[in-house]
Amino acid sequence: MRVTRPMLALTGALAALALAGCGSGGDGKDEVPATATGSLEHLAAEVKCEPDMQTDADEIRQAVCGDGDGRFVLATFATDRGQREWLNGAKDYGGYYLVGRKWVAVGEEETVTALRTTLGGTMEEGSEHMNPGGSHNKGGHHG
């Protein structure tokens, strides 16, 4: 059997549908948008936050967004390595982290989960041993 362009296109479309979970009977609760990119100000605008800048340096920019239960920290990084080093150190303190390319949002689980519906990204949890009985972290990540 000879492979033609229409056959390749159909195969590609079916593979994309399978990867996206179409037709799986899911309720859509696990759908996450493509991970957002951009400056701290751009990411903050995406989630309707007026950032209160805390750090504005070459390697990291960090701001506090929101107040009360919806409060979170948004940080952007100059390099992927700088982001990972910061995240590895910060996770020792527990907490919940939404991680994108060169940015991190940190806050309560409910807040970070809500941010994920707009910003995409990967959920990670800090170390459980630093927060016993607090956030009940499991010390892993959720992709």
Side-chain angles (χ1 to χ4, degrees):
M1 175 179 186
R2 191 175 143 191
V3 177
T4 64
R5 275 194 185 170
M7 289 174 66
L8 286 173
L10 177 61
T11 302
L14 290 174
L17 288 173
L19 289 173
C22 290
S24 67
D27 56 11
K29 285 179 12 181
D30 293 327
E31 291 181 24
V32 175
T35 302
T37 59
S39 68
L40 187 140
E41 291 81 5
H42 175 79
L43 295 168
E46 289 287 320
V47 294
K48 297 173 180 40
C49 154
E50 288 216 23
D52 178 11
M53 291 300 290
Q54 305 294 308
T55 304
D56 193 358
D58 290 340
E59 290 297 314
I60 182 174
R61 297 185 73 222
Q62 185 172 305
V64 175
C65 285
D67 54 9
D69 291 338
R71 187 176 177 147
F72 64 97
V73 172
L74 183 61
T76 56
F77 303 87
T79 65
D80 294 323
R81 180 179 177 181
Q83 175 189 15
R84 184 46 54 191
E85 288 174 354
W86 180 91
L87 191 56
N88 288 344
K91 286 172 69 176
D92 284 343
Y93 297 96
Y96 294 89
Y97 301 80
L98 181 61
V99 181
R101 177 118 199 288
K102 295 185 183 177
W103 62 263
V104 175
V106 185
E108 296 292 324
E109 181 177 23
E110 185 175 307
T111 301
V112 174
T113 300
L115 291 172
R116 189 173 189 222
T117 65
T118 302
L119 297 177
T122 303
M123 292 280 293
E124 296 187 21
E125 294 179 35
S127 298
E128 179 180 17
H129 73 277
M130 289 301 289
N131 206 2
S135 65
H136 304 288
N137 290 351
K138 294 166 191 66
H141 85 239
H142 309 284

